[in-house]
Amino acid sequence: MSDKPTMIEFRDVHKYYGDYHALRGINGQIRAGEFFSLLGPSGCGKTTLLRTIAGFEGIDSGAVLIDGKDMARVPANERPTNMVFQSYAIFPHMSVGENVGFGLRRDPRSKAEKAKAVEEALEMVGLKGYGGRAAHALSGGQRQRVALARALILKPKVLLLDEPLSALDKKMREHMQVELIKLQRQVGITFVLVTHDQEEALVMSDRIAVMFEGEIAQLADPETLYRRPNSKKVAEFIGTMNFIPAQVISETGGQIEIEAKGLGRATLPADQCPAGRGDAPMVGLRPETLTLLYPGQTATDRSVDGVIDEVIYFGDMTYYDVYLGGTDVEVRLSMRNTPGRPILEVGSKVDVAWSPSALVLFR
Amino acid sequence: MIATILGIFGARASTRYSFPGKGGLIGLIMLPLVLPEIIVALSLLVVLLAIAVPLSLYTVILGHVLITTPFAVAILSSAFQSLDKSLEEAAYDLGEGPVSTFRLIILPLVAPGIISSLLICFTISLDEFIIAYFLAGADTVLSSYIYSQFRFPAKVPAMLALGTILVLVSIVLLSIAEFFRRRGIAKTGGKDTGGFL
Ligand SMILES: Nc1ncnc2c1ncn2[C@@H]1O[C@H](COP(=O)(O)OP(=O)(O)O)[C@@H](O)[C@H]1O
Ligand SMILES: [Mg+2]
């Protein structure tokens, strides 16, 4: 994975809109052939950053490199990138085929060869035979496929996608997520996807840059982001995490001993303790790393007693909110509803298994 | 005609770029719309006489450009505004330059607006009397010609017929213009934002 060459590199990129500092020193690399996502809340600068790759936004300082070349003087129409716009930007006065073949106007190939390329591109996105249709009469999902075919027909080095799925309904969106992953594997082109949907990013990406307020907070693969978020903010943005007040007891050679309210003492290795930010210490743990112990079960690592405060039934899963060890610390844990696991009632006394290896210390 | 071409530039500039004094400039262009025509005609006459330009068909054209440009700007602004900016960017993205983007994407999409603007400006110009009367000098303009012929009783029926034809032509042209405007909006999938009919 990590031996793939770099396709896009950001070097301390800054961008202002008037007084507004939209990109505040972006650094990072996107590797050739990977599915990369820019994830963050609305207004954090994802689209702006994507548009600096496409060449639609200039930057005020720093550099954007594509395939080792500084793009400062390369206009959008000469960059080896193509974009799928959030609105899809299908040309309404053209047929589907004319839309898809638009980028081939300067291609020296013969008419017949171009027509074949268009047909192949349409087939790739599952729109075989749609070439003659009027573009303005397509459904949302079809428009998106046309936009994809139109961008991919030029075989760009990088395909840029700005929230391509946000206009689709949930079912269609999940379907297209899988389609996009397959398509990316098939063509092997570097995909850069902008999304505000953390689930979408986790499902689709090889690596993700989480952005807040014009900065990349963390750039990592989905599992690292989920299991080892480097800040409370990232942890809160991705999935659900319980935060428990804690104290740092001692620090020796990378090992940090903490005492967490309701859980007790634990020693954490350095990789579970991202750099401090001067906040009050907290440990975070995901709901699925906590397990309710049913009669006859024992914890493989540590356990703590508690009282169920809330039961939320989801069909395949049940979420329990539990007060830990006679304290006011409440955690949420999730249990898969398998046979032999009755749903417990509010007020039940339970034992909760946990493991120090699932903790992350934020401070 | 001229008004429409000016209108294209004016509307394009006003919807895409913002520059200091933009509001004031657009206001100035739109001014003839709210002023009584007679004031426009009189003031233009005074100015022209002051700089000693002989009155002719050309001065009538100048006056008509002045009063029809606001209509052209208004119609075309709405056409340009309903145009999604990412369509232009998509064309750049796919390798086209600014000129071919304008020709291949922007022009076809605002064409209905251009046609409707042409027709409306023509209609207004055709029926316009006051400016034609004041600025034509020795040349003949249809509307002032009709007026002058009314002095001869024998010519009245013919002039009434001509007047009726003018009214009909105007109505037909305006309907066609509105038809194009609506079709353009339907085609680009935009919302109907105002219009004259
Ligand atoms: N053309 C622009 N002019 C001024 N401000 C802009 C412009 N485009 C974006 N912004 C501002 O920059 C910030 C980042 O925008 P954007 O990159 O679109 O965010 P995201 O895609 O993450 O939602 C926002 O606060 C937005 O208001
Ligand atoms: Mg955005």
Side-chain angles (χ1 to χ4, degrees), chain A residues 43-357:
Chain A
C44 71
K46 309 178 294 287
T47 297
T48 304
L49 188 58
L50 194 75
R51 289 167 59 83
T52 67
I53 305 174
F56 296 130
E57 302 287 355
I59 55 177
D60 293 296
S61 69
V64 177
L65 284 75
I66 302 179
D67 210 9
K69 261 182 66 185
D70 189 344
M71 289 289 123
R73 297 185 184 286
V74 184
N77 53 357
E78 287 166 22
R79 294 198 183 188
T81 60
N82 284 111
M83 181 129 154
V84 174
F85 290 82
Q86 190 162 12
S87 61
Y88 306 146
I90 302 297
F91 306 132
H93 56 304
M94 296 181 186
S95 71
V96 169
E98 285 168 337
N99 262 283
V100 174
F102 188 83
L104 297 180
R105 274 173 30 86
R106 279 141 205 274
D107 193 307
R109 282 184 284 177
S110 74
K111 249 195 173 143
E113 281 175 308
K114 287 187 197 176
K116 194 161 155 272
V118 169
E119 198 46 47
E120 277 170 9
L122 282 172
E123 193 174 347
M124 186 168 63
V125 297
L127 286 181
K128 193 169 190 239
Y130 276 67
R133 298 231 189 154
H136 62 94
L138 297 176
S139 73
Q142 290 170 334
R143 275 161 189 266
Q144 190 201 24
R145 288 160 193 266
V146 172
L148 269 171
R150 185 176 70 180
L152 285 172
I153 200 169
L154 294 173
K155 303 203 164 46
K157 286 180 180 161
V158 182
L159 183 72
L160 306 169
L161 306 111
D162 191 357
E163 311 238 7
L165 307 179
S166 62
L168 306 178
D169 63 50
K170 191 168 154 53
K171 263 230 165 88
M172 189 69 195
R173 191 160 64 229
E174 283 168 3
H175 176 72
M176 281 308 294
Q177 285 175 359
V178 179
E179 296 265 300
L180 272 180
I181 298 169
K182 282 190 191 157
L183 191 63
Q184 195 267 340
R185 299 223 174 106
Q186 186 190 333
V187 296
I189 290 171
T190 310
F191 277 34
V192 184
L193 173 87
V194 161
T195 180
H196 63 266
D197 181 342
Q198 47 99 15
E199 242 174 74
E200 184 170 297
L202 290 178
V203 167
M204 298 176 77
S205 323
D206 294 319
R207 291 196 310 148
I208 301 169
V210 182
M211 291 181 68
F212 297 114
E213 288 155 21
E215 290 179 89
I216 294 181
Q218 189 171 7
L219 196 167
D221 60 277
E223 197 191 346
T224 305
L225 276 183
Y226 189 79
R227 293 189 51 230
R228 299 285 183 254
N230 69 358
S231 61
K232 192 163 173 266
K233 222 170 164 185
V234 171
E236 279 172 330
F237 192 72
I238 293 176
T240 310
M241 194 171 240
N242 296 299
F243 296 102
I244 301 169
Q247 272 178 300
V248 176
I249 306 293
S250 67
E251 285 192 61
T252 40
Q255 302 266 333
I256 298 181
E257 191 183 12
I258 53 110
E259 169 147 10
K261 201 174 176 188
L263 289 178
R265 293 200 178 196
T267 303
L268 306 180
D271 75 313
Q272 285 169 245
C273 307
R277 295 155 187 271
D279 299 331
M282 296 240 173
V283 291
L285 75 177
R286 300 281 185 195
E288 69 279 5
T289 65
L290 294 161
T291 312
L292 280 188
L293 294 173
Y294 283 83
Q297 290 181 317
T298 49
T300 50
D301 199 341
R302 310 265 291 263
S303 73
V304 58
D305 63 308
V307 179
I308 295 177
D309 180 44
E310 192 73 67
V311 179
I312 305 147
Y313 179 73
F314 263 96
D316 60 334
M317 304 282 285
T318 304
Y319 289 99
Y320 296 94
D321 289 344
V322 179
Y323 283 116
L324 291 182
T327 66
D328 61 350
V329 173
E330 194 182 55
V331 294
R332 171 161 292 185
L333 60 86
S334 59
M335 296 294 287
R336 191 154 283 285
N337 293 332
T338 51
R341 270 189 196 165
I343 310 296
L344 298 179
E345 278 172 30
V346 172
S348 314
K349 284 188 181 304
V350 289
D351 280 321
V352 177
W354 66 283
S355 164
S357 66

Side-chain angles (χ1 to χ4, degrees), chain B residues 148-167:
Chain B
S148 63
Q149 295 304 302
F150 268 111
R151 278 176 295 164
F152 312 109
K155 298 253 173 89
V156 167
M159 287 306 115
L160 285 179
L162 193 55
T164 311
I165 289 170
L166 273 186
V167 169

